[in-house]
């Protein structure tokens, strides 16, 4: 597995992973109609825009398999939400089911945390679907549940859970790459 910074040509690969990972992970949690309505064209445009803007406070990493296909990604940056006192935000992390439990999730988070520290962040927050089975992963790597909020996907209201890490600079789980 190779982890690297995303480039504009990766937009369609990221979009494909984004859609497939949502369909794999959120089946039964988010209505099937919504999951099946996600447009590859719209997602690809969104990721092209994100990568093209090349915002200094936001970054995207991709995970490639041996064939150089994108099988996962992480999108992260400075946290602009001031309700919680965390300066870094892991906006999204998705890895195709076939590539989970092989260490690439931990590796990409560690790489993202290193870059967040380089951006001046001391802490980190991530919002995840509350009933997402992968919330256990955030807890396993030291995330503490710090809040909940409602979010709407299509016509469905769901609960999100916020996980936080107060000190990413000294958390040894993030620095054992």
């Amino acid at each position: 597995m190779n982890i690297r910074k995303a480039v504009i040509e990766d937009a369609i690969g990221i979009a494909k992973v984004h859609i497939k990972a949502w369909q794999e992970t959120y089946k039964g949690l988010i209505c099937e109609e919504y999951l099946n309505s996600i447009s590859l064209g719209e997602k690809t445009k969104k990721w092209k825009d994100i990568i093209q803007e090349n915002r200094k406070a936001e970054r995207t990493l991709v995970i490639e398999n041996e064939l150089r296909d994108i099988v996962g990604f992480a999108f992260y940056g400075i946290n602009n939400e001031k309700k919680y006192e965390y300066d870094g935000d892991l906006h999204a992390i998705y890895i195709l089911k076939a590539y989970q439990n092989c260490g690439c999730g931990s590796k990409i988070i560690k790489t993202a945390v290193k870059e967040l520290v380089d951006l001046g962040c001391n802490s980190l927050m991530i919002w995840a679907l509350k009933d997402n089975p992968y919330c256990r992963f955030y807890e396993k790597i030291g995330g503490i549940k710090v809040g909940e909020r409602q979010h709407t996907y299509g016509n469905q209201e769901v609960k999100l859970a916020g996980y936080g890490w107060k000190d990413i600079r000294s958390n040894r789980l993030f620095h054992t790459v």
Side-chain angles (χ1 to χ4, degrees):
M1 294 294 157
N2 180 45
I3 295 176
R4 63 171 175 78
K5 182 180 178 184
V7 295
I8 193 77
E9 293 80 14
D10 295 326
I12 191 163
I14 294 169
K16 286 177 180 178
V17 167
H18 200 167
I19 293 168
K20 186 171 182 182
W22 265 59
Q23 291 170 338
E24 291 174 340
T25 304
Y26 300 145
K27 185 175 184 165
L29 301 176
I30 294 179
C31 74
E32 199 168 329
E33 181 183 334
Y34 180 81
L35 292 175
N36 292 333
S37 72
I38 302 170
S39 161
L40 179 60
E42 288 174 19
K43 279 285 183 217
T44 301
K45 181 182 180 331
K46 174 190 170 186
W47 284 108
K48 277 184 181 176
D49 292 346
I50 288 170
I51 295 166
Q52 204 164 20
E53 285 181 29
N54 197 18
R55 300 174 254 195
K56 290 184 180 187
E58 290 184 319
R59 300 188 179 163
T60 306
L61 295 170
V62 295
I63 304 169
E64 294 176 315
N65 66 11
E66 308 76 37
L67 301 173
R68 301 190 67 184
D69 295 322
I70 294 172
V71 297
F73 70 92
F75 175 48
Y76 54 95
I78 302 296
N79 184 9
N80 295 319
E81 185 179 354
K82 300 305 176 200
K83 180 178 179 183
Y84 298 93
E85 295 179 13
Y86 294 88
D87 45 17
D89 188 352
L90 186 56
H91 307 312
I93 179 170
Y94 292 103
I95 301 167
L96 296 178
K97 198 167 259 182
Y99 293 91
Q100 295 174 5
N101 300 311
C102 66
C104 57
S106 295
K107 189 174 177 184
I108 199 168
I109 286 178
K110 290 173 186 180
T111 304
V113 165
K114 182 184 180 310
E115 290 192 9
L116 286 168
V117 167
D118 291 345
L119 286 170
C121 294
N122 296 308
S123 57
L124 174 65
M125 181 158 205
I126 183 170
W127 286 97
L129 197 62
K130 181 182 176 189
D131 295 327
N132 177 348
Y134 298 105
C135 287
R136 290 187 301 274
F137 172 73
Y138 304 129
E139 294 166 0
K140 180 180 169 189
I141 61 171
I144 304 296
K145 191 171 172 187
V146 295
E148 288 186 5
R149 67 180 180 195
Q150 293 290 118
H151 193 76
T152 304
Y153 293 108
N155 295 323
Q156 183 182 4
E157 287 247 338
V158 295
K159 279 193 179 179
L160 300 179
Y163 290 87
W165 293 262
K166 281 289 187 193
D167 185 3
I168 58 175
R169 291 175 183 266
S170 64
N171 184 324
R172 64 180 173 79
L173 292 171
F174 290 134
H175 301 289
T176 54
V177 178

